[in-house]
Each structure stands twice: as C-alpha cells, then as structure tokens.
C-alpha cells in the first residue's frame, strides 16, 4: 500500500519562504503531486515530480528525491492568500489512476 | 479555463434516503473520479471510471454506492441508503489521457445526513 507523512501545521510570516515536507512509502513509485486546498474549496493541482530534482512554477517549487522517498513543496514570497492546506499525493499505479493523499499540512501565513 | 462542475453545492438528507450527486467533468477528459473528505481529514478515493465502467474502487465504495454516466456530459454518484457517517464533502475529478495528467477537482458537494 501507500502511506504519506506530512507535518500537520506550519506557520510562516508574509514575505518569507516555507518548505512543506512529505515522505512516502509506496509499493511502486509513479510520481509525487502537490495540491492546494483552501477552506471549503476544492483541491487544486500545483505540481508533479516524477524525476529527482526541483520543478519551479512561479513562487512555488517542488523537489523530489526518490532515493530518500522524500519530497517537498517550497513556497516563496509568501502571501496571505497562500494560507491553505497542502497535500502531497501519489498514484499507486502508472497511468490515470486514483490518488492517495497525505493528511495535509495546514499553512498559516501571518503578518 | 475549463472546469469540473458539481451540483448541488450542499445537500441535506435524512438518514436512509437516497442521494444523487452530480458532476460535469471537463469535456475532453476521459477519466473520472469520486473522492470524499470528512471534515478536517484527508481526501479519500472512492471510485474511478473510464470507458463507461468502473476501473477501480476503494473499500469505502460498498454496495450502497453506485456511479453512472447517463449521457455524454454528466457523471453521477448515488448513495442508496445514506448513513450518518456518509456526511462529508464529495469531490468529483477528471483527467485527460496521456502520462502524468493532473486531476482537476470540482468545488465539491457538502453532504449532510441528519
């Protein structure tokens, strides 16, 4: 099966940088995704890593180390609107398969 | 940008009643999913659907649940006899063909069982 571990809560100051970690245990590895969810909203796709290294998309970057079964989401120049829950997720199989989500990290951005 | 739409946004139902949650996936997507999220918990997979049939389902998706694609645009989740523990947010998602396609989620239906 699959299991993912994330910190439950992180607090950071507006304008700062924050890193949200995710460690996973999977029977096979087919990539690591990150989703953002505001309170009462839908999960929104942020990024996907299949290979080791850093993927950058604007203020958000995602990193993967397959040898360490570890990834992180890096948010730069934090804004108040970044306050949300962030979930890492893995597909248990290749192709268009359902996702297994972590329990999520609640990010609070403070002034 | 195309989006997944879900109706209703909130459904309140008496225990034991049937509910149907509706979703319109993104038009050129072929893979459809239902997930649920109990308040304060993680998103959990229920069922996936491709080529007019269920491709995978989780332990949660028991005989009380069914899915249907009644026409070319809608994708529905039916709960036959609701229980209190079915109270949750239900999300529909869809994805396109090709490797590593992200899943796009609807805004969800909040189901409250009384």
């Amino acid at each position: 099966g699959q299991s993912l571990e994330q910190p439950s809560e992180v607090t950071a100051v507006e304008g700062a940088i924050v890193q949200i970690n995710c460690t996973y245990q999977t029977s096979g590895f087919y990539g690591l995704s990150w989703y953002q969810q505001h309170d009462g909203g839908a999960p929104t796709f942020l990024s996907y890593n299949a290979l080791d290294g850093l993927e950058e998309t604007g203020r958000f970057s995602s990193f993967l180390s397959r040898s360490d079964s570890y990834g992180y989401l890096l948010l730069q120049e934090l804004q108040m609107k970044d306050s949300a829950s962030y979930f890492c997720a893995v597909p248990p199989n290749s192709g268009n398969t359902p996702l297994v989500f972590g329990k999520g990290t609640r990010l609070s951005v403070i002034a | 940008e195309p989006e997944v739409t879900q109706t209703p946004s909130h459904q309140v139902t008496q225990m034991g009643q049937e509910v149907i949650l509706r979703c319109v996936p993104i038009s050129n997507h072929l893979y459809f999913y239902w997930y649920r999220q109990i308040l304060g918990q993680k998103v959990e997979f229920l069922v996936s659907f491709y080529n007019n049939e269920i491709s995978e389902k989780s332990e949660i998706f028991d005989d009380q649940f069914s899915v249907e694609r009644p026409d070319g645009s809608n994708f529905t989740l039916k709960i036959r006899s609701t229980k209190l523990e079915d109270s949750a947010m239900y999300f529909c998602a869809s994805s396109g063909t090709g490797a590593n396609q992200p899943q796009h989620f609807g805004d969800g239906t909040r189901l409250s069982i009384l």
Side-chain angles (χ1 to χ4, degrees), chain B residues 17 19 65-66:
Chain B
Q17 296 297 305
V19 294
F65 291 88
S66 62

Side-chain angles (χ1 to χ4, degrees), chain B residues 34-107:
Chain B
W34 283 102
Y35 293 85
R36 80 171 185 191
Q37 186 178 32
I38 295 171
L39 186 64
Q41 299 187 22
K42 67 177 181 179
V43 178
E44 300 175 290
F45 166 67
L46 292 178
V47 64
S48 59
F49 194 86
Y50 171 71
N51 200 25
N52 286 319
E53 60 182 25
I54 290 173
S55 45
E56 290 185 56
K57 59 183 181 179
S58 72
E59 297 173 345
I60 304 168
F61 194 86
D62 61 21
D63 292 344
Q64 296 297 313
F65 291 88
S66 62
V67 289
E68 193 176 42
R69 187 154 167 82
D71 53 45
S73 59
N74 289 283
F75 178 51
T76 62
L77 174 69
K78 181 192 292 187
I79 309 175
R80 227 177 311 280
S81 178
T82 50
K83 303 184 285 268
L84 292 176
E85 54 264 38
D86 293 328
S87 295
M89 197 76 167
Y90 287 80
F91 291 105
C92 173
S94 68
S95 64
T97 54
N100 310 325
Q101 290 297 307
Q103 295 182 19
H104 297 263
F105 284 73
D107 287 338

